[in-house]
Each structure stands twice: as C-alpha cells, then as structure tokens.
Amino acid sequence: DQEIRVAKQLGLEKSANMHAVRVGGSDEAGLGARVTRILAEAKINVRGLTGAAIGGRSVIYVRFESSTDAQRGREALRANLGL
C-alpha cells in the first residue's frame, strides 16, 4: 500500500508491542464512560485511551498492555456494547 510505503519513508514503523481496540459508533453522551466501566468491571487494565467525535460519529481507541488484554477487552466490549 502507498500509505505504508510513505510511512516507512518518513521513518515510521508498526509497533510490535502496541495492542489496541477501536470502538466506533454514533456520538452519544457517556460512551467513553461506558467503555471504561465495562473494562473496569472485567478487571482489564487500560494503558491509554483517546477518542474524538466528528459529525455525529465517534471513535475511541483503547490501548492495552498485552494482546491477551486486548482480546479480553474486545470480547467484553462486544458483549456489552452490542458490537
């Protein structure tokens, strides 16, 4: 892909130890709080969280310590958010 070639030319590379889950949907009040509550109740530690809302849509990226935590987080979010 062109994007990957350009990123490499700029000195960027894919991280081998960053594990993240993307949550996307409509922009609704409290979505970030729901995401973190679901993960906390599942006893999954979050390493980082970022989000944005644009034009009635939202996206949240949740970063985890390990691929195992990311998988558990993905399963918990799917089960509780209906993804």
Side-chain angles (χ1 to χ4, degrees), residues 3-15:
E3 294 89 1
I4 294 174
R5 284 193 305 276
V6 171
K8 285 183 180 180
Q9 290 172 352
L10 294 172
L12 302 173
E13 60 186 57
K14 184 177 178 181
S15 173

Side-chain angles (χ1 to χ4, degrees), residues 14-26:
K14 184 177 178 181
S15 173
N17 61 0
M18 184 180 293
H19 311 282
V21 171
R22 178 184 182 273
V23 178
S26 60

